[in-house]
Short mmCIF file of all heavy atoms in Angstrom, two decimals:
data_model
loop_
_atom_site.label_atom_id
_atom_site.label_comp_id
_atom_site.label_asym_id
_atom_site.label_seq_id
_atom_site.Cartn_x
_atom_site.Cartn_y
_atom_site.Cartn_z
N VAL A 15 -13.22 6.70 3.58
CA VAL A 15 -12.25 5.60 3.69
C VAL A 15 -12.91 4.27 3.95
O VAL A 15 -12.96 3.82 5.12
CB VAL A 15 -11.17 5.94 4.73
CG1 VAL A 15 -10.07 4.89 4.68
CG2 VAL A 15 -10.60 7.33 4.53
N ILE A 16 -13.41 3.65 2.90
CA ILE A 16 -13.97 2.32 2.95
C ILE A 16 -13.23 1.33 2.09
O ILE A 16 -13.49 0.12 2.08
CB ILE A 16 -15.47 2.28 2.72
CG1 ILE A 16 -15.72 2.75 1.26
CG2 ILE A 16 -16.25 3.13 3.71
CD1 ILE A 16 -17.19 2.58 0.83
N ASN A 17 -12.34 1.85 1.26
CA ASN A 17 -11.53 1.03 0.36
C ASN A 17 -10.49 0.24 1.16
O ASN A 17 -10.22 0.58 2.26
CB ASN A 17 -10.86 1.85 -0.72
CG ASN A 17 -11.81 2.61 -1.65
OD1 ASN A 17 -12.87 3.04 -1.23
ND2 ASN A 17 -11.38 2.76 -2.87
N THR A 18 -9.89 -0.69 0.47
CA THR A 18 -8.69 -1.35 1.02
C THR A 18 -7.63 -0.30 1.15
O THR A 18 -7.42 0.51 0.23
CB THR A 18 -8.24 -2.50 0.08
OG1 THR A 18 -9.18 -3.55 0.12
CG2 THR A 18 -6.87 -3.03 0.56
N MET A 19 -6.92 -0.30 2.28
CA MET A 19 -5.82 0.61 2.55
C MET A 19 -4.53 -0.18 2.51
O MET A 19 -4.53 -1.36 2.93
CB MET A 19 -6.00 1.36 3.86
CG MET A 19 -7.24 2.25 3.93
SD MET A 19 -7.24 3.62 2.81
CE MET A 19 -5.92 4.56 3.48
N ALA A 20 -3.43 0.48 2.18
CA ALA A 20 -2.20 -0.26 2.12
C ALA A 20 -1.01 0.66 2.42
O ALA A 20 -1.10 1.86 2.31
CB ALA A 20 -1.98 -0.88 0.73
N TRP A 21 0.10 0.01 2.86
CA TRP A 21 1.38 0.68 3.02
C TRP A 21 2.31 0.18 2.00
O TRP A 21 2.42 -1.04 1.81
CB TRP A 21 1.96 0.47 4.42
CG TRP A 21 1.29 1.23 5.48
CD1 TRP A 21 0.27 0.86 6.33
CD2 TRP A 21 1.57 2.58 5.84
NE1 TRP A 21 -0.09 1.80 7.18
CE2 TRP A 21 0.68 2.94 6.93
CE3 TRP A 21 2.46 3.56 5.43
CZ2 TRP A 21 0.70 4.17 7.54
CZ3 TRP A 21 2.44 4.80 6.05
CH2 TRP A 21 1.60 5.08 7.07
N TYR A 22 2.97 1.05 1.26
CA TYR A 22 4.00 0.74 0.29
C TYR A 22 5.32 1.35 0.77
O TYR A 22 5.32 2.25 1.60
CB TYR A 22 3.67 1.35 -1.06
CG TYR A 22 2.56 0.63 -1.82
CD1 TYR A 22 1.21 0.76 -1.38
CD2 TYR A 22 2.79 -0.18 -2.95
CE1 TYR A 22 0.18 0.09 -2.09
CE2 TYR A 22 1.77 -0.81 -3.61
CZ TYR A 22 0.48 -0.65 -3.20
OH TYR A 22 -0.56 -1.27 -3.85
N ARG A 23 6.40 0.88 0.21
CA ARG A 23 7.67 1.50 0.53
C ARG A 23 8.55 1.46 -0.68
O ARG A 23 8.40 0.68 -1.59
CB ARG A 23 8.41 0.81 1.71
CG ARG A 23 8.84 -0.62 1.37
CD ARG A 23 9.46 -1.26 2.65
NE ARG A 23 9.97 -2.61 2.39
CZ ARG A 23 10.36 -3.42 3.34
NH1 ARG A 23 10.36 -3.05 4.63
NH2 ARG A 23 10.84 -4.62 3.03
N GLN A 24 9.48 2.46 -0.72
CA GLN A 24 10.39 2.54 -1.85
C GLN A 24 11.74 2.99 -1.40
O GLN A 24 11.89 4.06 -0.78
CB GLN A 24 9.88 3.54 -2.90
CG GLN A 24 10.73 3.59 -4.20
CD GLN A 24 10.01 4.35 -5.33
OE1 GLN A 24 9.17 5.17 -5.07
NE2 GLN A 24 10.38 4.02 -6.52
N ALA A 25 12.75 2.17 -1.63
CA ALA A 25 14.12 2.51 -1.28
C ALA A 25 14.77 3.16 -2.56
O ALA A 25 14.32 2.93 -3.64
CB ALA A 25 14.89 1.27 -0.91
N PRO A 26 15.79 3.96 -2.35
CA PRO A 26 16.48 4.66 -3.46
C PRO A 26 16.89 3.66 -4.52
O PRO A 26 17.54 2.63 -4.23
CB PRO A 26 17.65 5.30 -2.82
CG PRO A 26 17.23 5.57 -1.40
CD PRO A 26 16.42 4.34 -1.05
N GLY A 27 16.51 3.91 -5.78
CA GLY A 27 16.90 3.09 -6.87
C GLY A 27 16.12 1.78 -7.03
O GLY A 27 16.47 0.98 -7.90
N LYS A 28 15.10 1.56 -6.18
CA LYS A 28 14.37 0.35 -6.22
C LYS A 28 12.89 0.60 -6.56
O LYS A 28 12.43 1.71 -6.40
CB LYS A 28 14.49 -0.42 -4.90
CG LYS A 28 15.87 -0.82 -4.54
CD LYS A 28 15.86 -1.75 -3.30
CE LYS A 28 15.25 -3.04 -3.55
NZ LYS A 28 15.31 -3.95 -2.33
N GLN A 29 12.21 -0.43 -6.96
CA GLN A 29 10.79 -0.36 -7.27
C GLN A 29 9.97 -0.23 -6.02
O GLN A 29 10.30 -0.82 -5.00
CB GLN A 29 10.38 -1.59 -8.09
CG GLN A 29 9.00 -1.49 -8.76
CD GLN A 29 9.05 -0.71 -10.00
OE1 GLN A 29 10.10 -0.31 -10.53
NE2 GLN A 29 7.89 -0.44 -10.58
N ARG A 30 8.90 0.53 -6.11
CA ARG A 30 8.00 0.63 -4.99
C ARG A 30 7.26 -0.68 -4.81
O ARG A 30 6.86 -1.34 -5.76
CB ARG A 30 6.99 1.74 -5.23
CG ARG A 30 6.13 2.10 -4.01
CD ARG A 30 5.25 3.33 -4.29
NE ARG A 30 6.08 4.52 -4.48
CZ ARG A 30 5.59 5.74 -4.65
NH1 ARG A 30 4.25 5.93 -4.58
NH2 ARG A 30 6.43 6.74 -4.88
N GLU A 31 7.17 -1.14 -3.55
CA GLU A 31 6.54 -2.39 -3.26
C GLU A 31 5.49 -2.28 -2.13
O GLU A 31 5.62 -1.47 -1.25
CB GLU A 31 7.58 -3.46 -2.85
CG GLU A 31 8.31 -3.08 -1.58
CD GLU A 31 9.29 -4.17 -1.11
OE1 GLU A 31 9.17 -5.29 -1.60
OE2 GLU A 31 10.13 -3.88 -0.21
N MET A 32 4.49 -3.11 -2.20
CA MET A 32 3.48 -3.12 -1.19
C MET A 32 3.98 -3.97 -0.02
O MET A 32 4.52 -5.06 -0.25
CB MET A 32 2.16 -3.69 -1.68
CG MET A 32 1.02 -3.57 -0.65
SD MET A 32 -0.43 -4.61 -1.03
CE MET A 32 0.20 -6.19 -0.45
N VAL A 33 3.87 -3.49 1.21
CA VAL A 33 4.34 -4.21 2.33
C VAL A 33 3.19 -4.75 3.18
O VAL A 33 3.34 -5.78 3.88
CB VAL A 33 5.29 -3.36 3.23
CG1 VAL A 33 6.51 -3.00 2.45
CG2 VAL A 33 4.61 -2.13 3.77
N ALA A 34 2.01 -4.08 3.16
CA ALA A 34 0.90 -4.56 3.95
C ALA A 34 -0.41 -3.92 3.43
O ALA A 34 -0.38 -2.77 2.98
CB ALA A 34 1.09 -4.24 5.42
N SER A 35 -1.49 -4.62 3.52
CA SER A 35 -2.78 -4.08 3.14
C SER A 35 -3.85 -4.55 4.06
O SER A 35 -3.71 -5.61 4.73
CB SER A 35 -3.13 -4.44 1.66
OG SER A 35 -3.37 -5.80 1.54
N ILE A 36 -4.96 -3.85 4.13
CA ILE A 36 -6.04 -4.23 4.99
C ILE A 36 -7.35 -3.78 4.34
O ILE A 36 -7.50 -2.62 3.89
CB ILE A 36 -5.89 -3.65 6.42
CG1 ILE A 36 -7.04 -4.17 7.32
CG2 ILE A 36 -5.78 -2.15 6.36
CD1 ILE A 36 -6.77 -3.84 8.81
N THR A 37 -8.35 -4.67 4.30
CA THR A 37 -9.63 -4.29 3.74
C THR A 37 -10.45 -3.67 4.82
O THR A 37 -10.09 -3.59 5.99
CB THR A 37 -10.38 -5.61 3.26
OG1 THR A 37 -10.75 -6.41 4.41
CG2 THR A 37 -9.52 -6.43 2.33
N TYR A 38 -11.61 -3.13 4.38
CA TYR A 38 -12.45 -2.50 5.35
C TYR A 38 -13.02 -3.45 6.41
O TYR A 38 -13.27 -3.07 7.54
CB TYR A 38 -13.69 -1.86 4.62
CG TYR A 38 -14.55 -0.94 5.50
CD1 TYR A 38 -14.05 0.29 5.94
CD2 TYR A 38 -15.83 -1.33 5.90
CE1 TYR A 38 -14.83 1.08 6.79
CE2 TYR A 38 -16.57 -0.53 6.70
CZ TYR A 38 -16.07 0.69 7.15
OH TYR A 38 -16.86 1.48 7.97
N SER A 39 -13.15 -4.71 6.05
CA SER A 39 -13.61 -5.73 6.95
C SER A 39 -12.46 -6.29 7.85
O SER A 39 -12.76 -7.03 8.79
CB SER A 39 -14.26 -6.87 6.21
OG SER A 39 -13.38 -7.52 5.39
N GLY A 40 -11.24 -5.88 7.59
CA GLY A 40 -10.16 -6.26 8.44
C GLY A 40 -9.21 -7.37 7.93
O GLY A 40 -8.29 -7.76 8.68
N SER A 41 -9.47 -7.89 6.76
CA SER A 41 -8.56 -8.88 6.19
C SER A 41 -7.21 -8.28 5.83
O SER A 41 -7.19 -7.20 5.19
CB SER A 41 -9.20 -9.57 4.99
OG SER A 41 -10.35 -10.25 5.33
N THR A 42 -6.12 -8.89 6.18
CA THR A 42 -4.81 -8.36 5.99
C THR A 42 -3.95 -9.21 5.02
O THR A 42 -4.18 -10.42 4.88
CB THR A 42 -4.07 -8.20 7.29
OG1 THR A 42 -3.94 -9.43 7.98
CG2 THR A 42 -4.80 -7.21 8.21
N ASN A 43 -2.92 -8.60 4.47
CA ASN A 43 -2.03 -9.22 3.60
C ASN A 43 -0.65 -8.58 3.79
O ASN A 43 -0.58 -7.35 3.93
CB ASN A 43 -2.45 -9.16 2.10
CG ASN A 43 -1.65 -10.09 1.24
OD1 ASN A 43 -1.15 -11.10 1.64
ND2 ASN A 43 -1.49 -9.68 -0.01
N TYR A 44 0.40 -9.37 3.80
CA TYR A 44 1.73 -8.84 4.09
C TYR A 44 2.74 -9.39 3.08
O TYR A 44 2.63 -10.55 2.61
CB TYR A 44 2.22 -9.22 5.43
CG TYR A 44 1.40 -8.67 6.57
CD1 TYR A 44 0.34 -9.44 7.12
CD2 TYR A 44 1.70 -7.44 7.15
CE1 TYR A 44 -0.45 -8.92 8.18
CE2 TYR A 44 0.91 -6.92 8.17
CZ TYR A 44 -0.14 -7.67 8.68
OH TYR A 44 -0.85 -7.15 9.75
N ALA A 45 3.75 -8.59 2.77
CA ALA A 45 4.86 -9.07 1.99
C ALA A 45 5.65 -10.08 2.88
O ALA A 45 5.69 -9.95 4.09
CB ALA A 45 5.77 -7.91 1.63
N ASP A 46 6.21 -11.06 2.23
CA ASP A 46 6.92 -12.09 2.98
C ASP A 46 8.07 -11.50 3.84
O ASP A 46 8.34 -12.01 4.92
CB ASP A 46 7.54 -13.12 1.99
CG ASP A 46 6.47 -14.00 1.36
OD1 ASP A 46 5.35 -14.11 1.92
OD2 ASP A 46 6.79 -14.64 0.33
N SER A 47 8.67 -10.45 3.37
CA SER A 47 9.81 -9.89 4.08
C SER A 47 9.44 -9.21 5.40
O SER A 47 10.33 -8.97 6.25
CB SER A 47 10.51 -8.84 3.18
OG SER A 47 9.62 -7.82 2.85
N VAL A 48 8.17 -8.94 5.62
CA VAL A 48 7.74 -8.28 6.87
C VAL A 48 6.84 -9.11 7.73
O VAL A 48 6.47 -8.68 8.85
CB VAL A 48 7.09 -6.93 6.56
CG1 VAL A 48 8.01 -6.04 5.72
CG2 VAL A 48 5.70 -7.05 5.93
N LYS A 49 6.42 -10.27 7.29
CA LYS A 49 5.52 -11.15 8.05
C LYS A 49 6.13 -11.49 9.44
O LYS A 49 7.34 -11.82 9.53
CB LYS A 49 5.23 -12.43 7.29
CG LYS A 49 4.28 -12.27 6.13
CD LYS A 49 3.98 -13.60 5.42
CE LYS A 49 3.00 -13.39 4.32
NZ LYS A 49 2.79 -14.69 3.58
N GLY A 50 5.33 -11.36 10.45
CA GLY A 50 5.77 -11.63 11.78
C GLY A 50 6.43 -10.44 12.44
O GLY A 50 6.68 -10.47 13.65
N ARG A 51 6.69 -9.38 11.69
CA ARG A 51 7.33 -8.18 12.26
C ARG A 51 6.45 -6.94 12.16
O ARG A 51 6.45 -6.12 13.05
CB ARG A 51 8.65 -7.88 11.57
CG ARG A 51 9.68 -9.05 11.69
CD ARG A 51 11.04 -8.61 11.14
NE ARG A 51 10.99 -8.29 9.75
CZ ARG A 51 11.27 -7.07 9.24
NH1 ARG A 51 11.65 -6.10 10.05
NH2 ARG A 51 11.21 -6.86 7.93
N PHE A 52 5.68 -6.81 11.07
CA PHE A 52 4.81 -5.68 10.88
C PHE A 52 3.34 -6.06 11.06
O PHE A 52 2.96 -7.20 10.75
CB PHE A 52 4.99 -5.12 9.46
CG PHE A 52 6.27 -4.47 9.16
CD1 PHE A 52 7.33 -4.55 10.04
CD2 PHE A 52 6.45 -3.78 7.99
CE1 PHE A 52 8.55 -3.92 9.75
CE2 PHE A 52 7.66 -3.17 7.66
CZ PHE A 52 8.69 -3.22 8.56
N THR A 53 2.55 -5.13 11.57
CA THR A 53 1.13 -5.34 11.74
C THR A 53 0.40 -4.13 11.24
O THR A 53 0.66 -3.01 11.74
CB THR A 53 0.76 -5.60 13.22
OG1 THR A 53 1.48 -6.73 13.69
CG2 THR A 53 -0.76 -5.84 13.34
N ILE A 54 -0.51 -4.30 10.33
CA ILE A 54 -1.34 -3.24 9.86
C ILE A 54 -2.69 -3.30 10.54
O ILE A 54 -3.22 -4.34 10.80
CB ILE A 54 -1.51 -3.30 8.26
CG1 ILE A 54 -2.20 -2.03 7.76
CG2 ILE A 54 -2.30 -4.57 7.86
CD1 ILE A 54 -2.17 -1.92 6.22
N SER A 55 -3.27 -2.11 10.79
CA SER A 55 -4.55 -2.05 11.49
C SER A 55 -5.25 -0.76 11.02
O SER A 55 -4.63 0.15 10.47
CB SER A 55 -4.41 -2.09 12.96
OG SER A 55 -3.67 -0.97 13.46
N ARG A 56 -6.58 -0.73 11.27
CA ARG A 56 -7.30 0.48 10.92
C ARG A 56 -8.35 0.75 11.96
O ARG A 56 -8.91 -0.17 12.59
CB ARG A 56 -7.91 0.38 9.51
CG ARG A 56 -9.08 -0.67 9.36
CD ARG A 56 -9.38 -0.89 7.87
NE ARG A 56 -9.81 0.31 7.18
CZ ARG A 56 -9.91 0.44 5.85
NH1 ARG A 56 -9.58 -0.59 5.10
NH2 ARG A 56 -10.31 1.58 5.33
N ASP A 57 -8.62 2.02 12.13
CA ASP A 57 -9.61 2.49 13.08
C ASP A 57 -10.74 3.10 12.24
O ASP A 57 -10.56 4.16 11.71
CB ASP A 57 -9.03 3.51 14.04
CG ASP A 57 -10.01 3.93 15.14
OD1 ASP A 57 -11.22 4.05 14.86
OD2 ASP A 57 -9.58 4.11 16.30
N LYS A 58 -11.84 2.41 12.15
CA LYS A 58 -12.91 2.88 11.30
C LYS A 58 -13.58 4.18 11.81
O LYS A 58 -14.07 4.97 11.04
CB LYS A 58 -14.01 1.76 11.16
CG LYS A 58 -13.50 0.53 10.48
CD LYS A 58 -14.55 -0.57 10.41
CE LYS A 58 -14.00 -1.82 9.79
NZ LYS A 58 -15.03 -2.88 9.78
#
């Protein structure tokens, strides 16, 4: 596990979407809908 890791979600009848991702170095990215509420982290 050295690749970028991500969380996706899919509601019934809707397209799967990425909600958060994190690189091996710790850089993160979030969907606008979850910014300020969700936090992604990894334990190497």
